[in-house]
Amino acid sequence: MTDPVRPAAPGADFNLAAHLLGGHESRAARPAFIDDRRSLSYGGLADEVRRLASALLGLGLRREERVLLLMHDCCEWPVAFLGALHAGIVPVAVNTLLTAEDYAYMLAHSRAQAVIVSAALLPVLEQAMAAGPHEVGSVVIAGGPFTPAPGREALADLLARHAPQAQAAPVGPDAPGFWLYSSGSTGRPKGTVHSHGNAWWTAQLYGIGVLGLRDSDVCFSAAKLYFAYGLGNALSFPLSVGATVVLMAERPTPDAVFRRWREHRVTVFYGAPTGFAGMLASPALPAREAVSLRLVSSAGEALPAELGERFSAHFGVDVIDGIGSTEMLHIFLSNRPGQVRYGSTGWPVPGYRIELRDDEGRPVPDGETGDLYIEGPSAALMYWGNREKSRETFQGAWTRSGDKYLRNPDGSYTYAGRSDDMLKVSGIYVSPFEVEATLVQHPAVLESAVIGVTDGDGLTRAKAFVVLKPGASVSDETLKAFVKERLAPYKYPRLIEFLDELPKTATGKIQRFRLREREAAGSA
């Protein structure tokens, strides 16, 4: 199918790394990335990427084999990601907030032949490697210090020993390029396989086509590079136009964000509603005149209208809210500069088509809620090794998002919840089933159910309803700490309420919708 909005696809020998490194000869001395330790110019980036490509091949990795990236946001992250792509090797970018058990699974599932890891994350990686069945050939450590051992080498030493690889692997736009892991409502994370061409499409259609990024921009993303949202914000979008990117390893607290805004005169900021709420509540909120923002993007969860309006009123810049997904790589439905309807997710990004369908797959009329389907050129190739879930999600040219929406008379779309029970807390998916399964491991807990509740800013928080065993006693803070010890810390329930019993069907299935109704009635 042709779409007059879409440009012609890249050529047969397209390599994403070569594309993003090319065309910057006049910008060789300009900063491409700035982190807390150093600045990496466009010329320096090209040199280090090509050296790493040679080094990975020198370690024995072959085309389309995987290398796991477990790294904090720093200048070495884009070097690692692009270096693998340049060599035709597939980087697998993973969340830095997970447990050793999670990483053991990802290593085995991806069959990664090497890992590039930040020195601060080496201990959890070593736990994962000791616990898992998969053997990794090489571990490359970014930063330091670390204790030398066989099979472990400093990234800086590796780069120094290898000459730049002059020619990028001629892979093509449809070749497997990189993986991102997507959470599921049940079971293990899904390895979402994206092609070399997919990041080109999102940069063309959204970064340039909607946001209008320029080479003079200084971009800063609160969402980290291992997220699909952050990968576009802080890598493929700015490199496509020759902009500068500020990277930050630490958590994006309001104070940390404000400091980067001021120090680096950030012009484009990418955040999430939870972060905007924290900024507006901070006593350190800078005045409009103290910052250089010209464009602000929001994604990760629906932006409450009041929050967007307050942020815009303070800084004099609209918040461009949109929705994307790991499966589509970036945003496909969005407000846009000069056309913002707060409380909605905006209009289809040119180059993408949107349909709302009922349970039988039929289109729903305006004003009625339906399941969101997307057709566009950046859809993932598959979930690795998971045919069942691949078929459920990738249906011909269309991708089923798992979100429910309704279409307004002006053509904009308004979020109406999830098609499953998944929660988005602070922009990250949380499976209620995973939290429930952890809670019931506590010796005092008989059963539990987890739902999302809305706080005073209109944002989602996880709440657990817990039934204790007869005669048992435990505090809510003890249960929160119990979950934090066993799952990634962001997954713990912020609220816990004890009940005598949970609402169930005649067959014993927990009725979470009854708990949601109970919450709605209590807050009315």
Side-chain angles (χ1 to χ4, degrees):
M1 184 190 68
T2 60
D3 185 325
V5 176
R6 297 177 192 167
D13 290 343
F14 180 83
N15 180 298
L16 178 61
H19 165 71
L20 293 176
L21 295 176
H24 299 308
E25 291 78 11
S26 64
R27 303 184 183 97
R30 179 184 295 181
F33 293 96
I34 302 170
D35 66 16
D36 293 333
R37 297 182 298 107
R38 65 167 177 151
S39 174
L40 183 61
S41 69
Y42 270 92
L45 174 66
D47 179 69
E48 292 191 17
V49 165
R50 291 169 178 145
R51 287 178 184 275
L52 184 61
S54 294
L56 292 175
L57 295 172
L59 291 173
L61 274 77
R62 297 172 294 182
R63 287 270 294 267
E64 296 189 13
E65 288 186 331
R66 271 76 65 194
V67 55
L68 197 84
L69 305 189
L70 176 56
M71 305 175 71
H72 292 305
D73 279 21
C74 59
C75 289
E76 289 77 10
W77 204 107
V79 169
F81 185 82
L82 295 173
L85 290 170
H86 197 274
I89 294 163
V90 177
V92 179
V94 298
N95 189 329
T96 60
L97 302 175
L98 302 180
T99 65
E101 181 184 359
D102 294 319
Y103 299 132
Y105 168 76
M106 291 171 176
L107 286 169
H109 180 249
S110 67
R111 298 195 292 276
Q113 299 302 300
V115 180
I116 305 178
V117 59
S118 292
L121 296 168
L122 183 58
V124 70
L125 172 67
E126 290 177 330
Q127 293 176 41
M129 292 171 62
H134 177 68
E135 292 189 10
V136 176
S138 301
V139 176
V140 179
I141 298 101
F146 67 93
T147 303
R152 283 155 174 70
E153 185 165 9
L155 175 60
D157 294 341
L158 201 61
L159 295 177
R161 286 208 328 270
H162 287 82
Q165 182 192 47
Q167 195 68 35
V171 290
D174 294 332
F178 56 94
W179 292 20
L180 303 169
Y181 272 95
S182 174
S183 298
S185 57
T186 58
R188 293 288 195 173
K190 302 183 292 294
T192 310
V193 182
H194 279 284
S195 70
H196 274 257
N198 284 0
W200 182 87
W201 282 111
T202 58
Q204 293 295 316
L205 296 178
Y206 194 71
I208 297 171
V210 170
L211 297 182
L213 293 183
R214 342 167 160 150
D215 64 355
S216 58
D217 278 321
V218 177
C219 303
F220 176 40
S221 175
K224 301 299 185 182
L225 282 161
Y226 57 75
F227 287 119
Y229 181 45
L231 184 65
N233 300 343
L235 195 146
S236 60
F237 291 5
L239 293 189
S240 292
V241 299
T244 296
V245 181
V246 175
L247 296 176
M248 179 177 73
E250 66 183 290
R251 289 178 54 248
T253 62
D255 285 349
V257 170
F258 298 155
R259 182 156 68 87
R260 271 76 180 183
W261 284 1
R262 290 192 184 97
E263 286 183 3
H264 302 291
R265 308 306 298 173
V266 169
T267 61
V268 179
F269 176 69
Y270 306 87
T274 303
F276 295 131
M279 292 176 202
L280 291 173
S282 170
L285 182 71
R288 179 188 300 190
E289 298 75 21
V291 300
S292 302
L293 297 175
R294 75 166 189 86
L295 182 66
V296 175
S297 167
S298 177
E301 56 190 317
L303 177 71
E306 185 266 347
L307 197 57
E309 289 164 353
R310 284 171 54 210
F311 191 95
S312 178
H314 182 84
F315 286 108
V317 58
D318 281 326
V319 182
I320 309 303
D321 185 33
I323 182 175
S325 68
T326 304
E327 290 75 12
M328 294 302 296
L329 190 56
H330 212 275
I331 291 170
F332 47 78
L333 183 62
S334 181
N335 288 275
R336 58 203 65 185
Q339 187 183 13
V340 173
R341 177 180 172 178
Y342 286 118
S344 84
T345 315
W347 294 263
V349 170
Y352 292 87
R353 290 192 297 156
I354 301 295
E355 284 189 4
L356 301 183
R357 304 177 186 175
D358 63 19
D359 292 341
E360 282 71 46
R362 297 170 302 206
V364 301
D366 286 1
E368 290 190 16
T369 299
D371 291 313
L372 179 66
Y373 286 76
I374 313 102
E375 188 276 323
S378 62
L381 301 175
M382 69 178 116
Y383 296 131
W384 182 264
N386 195 333
R387 179 178 293 188
E388 179 183 359
K389 290 295 183 184
S390 293
R391 285 178 168 175
E392 286 180 12
T393 300
F394 306 109
Q395 301 179 11
W398 294 87
T399 300
R400 184 177 184 272
S401 77
D403 298 288
K404 287 189 177 291
Y405 266 83
L406 59 84
R407 186 175 184 271
N408 303 306
D410 64 356
S412 65
Y413 288 76
T414 299
Y415 181 67
R418 286 284 299 172
S419 305
D420 53 27
D421 285 308
M422 290 290 286
L423 308 176
K424 249 191 176 178
V425 179
S426 299
I428 308 176
Y429 276 120
V430 175
S431 168
F433 307 103
E434 185 180 21
V435 181
E436 292 162 5
T438 303
L439 282 167
V440 298
Q441 294 174 24
H442 192 281
V445 175
L446 176 64
E447 56 186 358
S448 70
V450 175
I451 65 169
V453 298
T454 303
D455 67 12
D457 289 312
L459 303 173
T460 298
R461 296 287 179 264
K463 179 173 182 177
F465 295 87
V466 173
V467 177
L468 298 179
K469 294 176 181 176
S473 176
V474 66
S475 70
D476 59 345
E477 292 304 318
T478 297
L479 288 182
K480 291 177 183 178
F482 183 82
V483 174
K484 284 183 181 180
E485 290 171 358
R486 287 157 178 79
L487 297 179
Y490 65 84
K491 297 181 180 181
Y492 84 95
R494 269 56 172 182
L495 302 167
I496 294 179
E497 182 175 343
F498 296 99
L499 298 178
D500 293 331
E501 61 180 359
L502 297 175
K504 297 177 181 177
T505 65
T507 59
K509 184 177 180 181
I510 295 172
Q511 295 175 308
R512 290 180 184 79
F513 74 94
R514 297 289 185 200
L515 296 172
R516 288 191 283 266
E517 290 173 350
R518 184 179 186 275
E519 282 297 304
S523 61

